[in-house]
Amino acid sequence: MSTPTTHEFQAEVKQVLDIVIHSLYTDREIFVRELVSNAADALEKMRLTQLTEKSVFDANLDLEINITTDETAKTLTIQDYGIGMTRAELIENLGTIAHSGSKAFVKALQNQGKKGDAQLIGQFGVGFYSAFMVADQVKVYTHSWREDEEHLCWSSDGAGSYTIEEAPGQRRGSRIVLHLKGDAGEFSQASRIRQILGKYSNFVGFPISLNGERVNNVEAVWLKSKDQVTDEQYSQFYKFAAKAFDEPSYRLHFQADVPIVINALIFAPGENMELWGMGQMQPGVALYCKKVLIDPHPPKLLPEWLRFARGVIDSEDLPLNISRESMQDSALVKKLGSVVTSRFLKFLDKEAADDGKKYAEFYKKFSRFFKEGVATDHENREAVAKLLRFESSLTGKDESIGLSAYVSRMKEGQKEIYYQVAPSRSSIESGPYVDAFKARGIEVLYLYETIDEYVVSSLGEFDGKKLVAVNSDKVELDDSAAADGVALSAEDTDKLCGWLKEKLGGRVEAVKAGKRLVSSPALVLTPEGELNPQMRQMMRALQKDEVEPPKVIMEINPHHELIRRLCAIRESDAEAAGLVAEQMLDNALLAAGLLDDPQSLIGRTQKLMERLLAKS
Ligand code: ADP
Ligand code: MG
């Protein structure tokens, strides 16, 4: 027999172990859930392997989990007849972790004020190490399902290294022996373990015995009727199935017979793990056929943007022997996915209507997914769009409104939905565009994220109403609210427009009088097809100065005093008029986020100031 080999843990593992051993002290019992969940995963993999592999080590063993306690020796043993591990797999799976997992785990503990809370651990793919919260020595005896592999024992005290040695006589699968720490003796008591298992063991898809006695009756929560499941059981199931620590925000549990038989239990989580640095999530709604797992992360069952959802879809109409590969292209699976998706979207829409405050909290964390949905999911675009929320000219700061609510309170005769994309409420409200809409009592949606531009352009319209940017030259507002009082005559206005076009030359496509301006002298409009400010900024960041100057239409306000005076001095003081015209355009471009070279403002304002002071 060969001698034991000693291996250093990867640095990320050491970091996680350090935290597990020294700073997790609440909810230590969670390690039982983690180890049992690993055992169940290994059994599940074995079940799938058996479907295709002919030669399997210990092929006659039942797929089950056996737990034994020994109060005298202060040990707890968890054994499964799953796939087991080879030497290389022991090193890969128990000696290293994916970078993002350990980093995200450490960050989560630091940031979320959850210090010391062991509940978090399963979500980050480091659940195995929770054993070291309660054990000062962990041994993993194992034999892989592959016939020619070794009988092995992996062992570590969690301090920095582990050893692997041969250990003849292992059955297939893994047997994990915990030598409990002095203060963790309770976990060698059968009654204590039974109590912990009571919380979730019925969700485990395989038989579990404790000291030879069966403790669970494998049941599928999703096949029960709603009144047979308590809130607590739903929550435990969610945590078990999603390896999650948070409470779900929403759950939808339904059965349907047409067009296909469906039993579905879908959760929206409480936390968005993509915001926690875990990278892009895998799809989290598993596919079952009559309680038998077909795929825990089916890639094409639900639309990709719904990857944050967790839970189960079970359909007895699926052929039991459907392979994961053929499943992805099956028409039945597509139908399943689309029925569940539209149910879930309707459900969220109703929940949002019933409790807007709760929905707003949820939306804050998950809005990215809905925006992605509108941009990518043609089939459900309008239904997803209903779930979007935005601030507007009629909401307060931090209040928001959905598109349906916007449409329901549109002014009589209003045919379009208006919005402006800009980084903040204050930048929109201090700009020249919303004034005219406010004066007419028309609501404008405020969109703060760069991707919002993309979202509205993919959506195009909602409820038959076009979405139109307030700075588009397509906006037609009626005359009702135009300021009264003095204004330039139509003739003077025309002349001034002509003069401005000549003065400003290639910088503007056209100059015209606008009805929409209320308190600003002028603004610029961007014709359709022109890059919006957000896109321009991105392009400029990428290509530096190669982006062409913006093509804009300048609209002037004949009611504004500055415009009237400009008209008056146009001929008598051509130099001042020229300076003012240029400055007015720059101001309008600046307000629109389209001024590429703010430096030019400095020289000109200098001149304007000199002229101003020379007169006094
Ligand atoms: P996760 O379960 O999220 O992958 P863990 O830290 O719990 O993370 O486990 C790490 C890996 O160790 C598992 O992915 C699996 O490959 C392996 N493993 C753990 N327990 C067992 C077991 N009982 N049988 C086989 N492999 C196991
Ligand atoms: Mg695990």
Side-chain angles (χ1 to χ4, degrees), residues 38-39 41-42 45 80 84-85 93-94 125-128 174 176 243:
N38 285 350
D41 289 349
K45 287 175 193 156
D80 65 72
M85 282 176 272
N93 299 338
L94 305 185
V126 293
F128 171 77
S174 308
I176 301 180
K243 299 189 200 299

Side-chain angles (χ1 to χ4, degrees), residues 259-303:
I260 13 179
V261 181
I262 299 177
N263 287 276
L265 174 53
I266 314 285
F267 296 94
E271 296 296 336
N272 173 358
M273 295 316 292
E274 289 191 7
L275 296 179
W276 289 47
M278 278 296 283
Q280 175 143 340
M281 283 184 237
Q282 280 188 298
V285 175
L287 183 65
Y288 281 75
C289 170
K290 296 191 200 116
K291 289 207 250 184
V292 178
L293 180 60
I294 292 174
D295 191 339
H297 307 289
K300 289 187 184 160
L301 178 57
L302 298 181

Side-chain angles (χ1 to χ4, degrees), residues 489-562:
S489 70
E491 197 192 332
D492 281 347
T493 307
D494 276 352
K495 278 193 195 143
L496 183 63
C497 286
W499 176 81
L500 278 167
K501 172 73 186 102
E502 198 185 298
K503 264 276 150 226
L504 300 171
R507 297 187 66 200
V508 291
E509 294 282 290
V511 181
K512 60 184 188 184
K515 294 176 200 159
R516 61 162 97 196
L517 282 165
V518 179
S519 59
S520 318
L523 52 65
V524 292
L525 300 174
T526 25
E528 211 159 351
E530 192 57 12
L531 288 177
N532 63 61
Q534 287 70 31
M535 300 288 190
R536 271 187 70 77
Q537 234 169 41
M538 265 164 48
M539 298 286 281
R540 277 172 54 82
L542 291 174
Q543 315 183 356
K544 295 280 173 294
D545 293 330
E546 286 162 37
V547 182
E548 284 186 19
K551 288 200 174 71
V552 294
I553 295 162
M554 186 177 186
E555 205 171 278
I556 60 166
N557 179 0
H559 293 270
H560 201 280
E561 193 176 353
L562 189 64

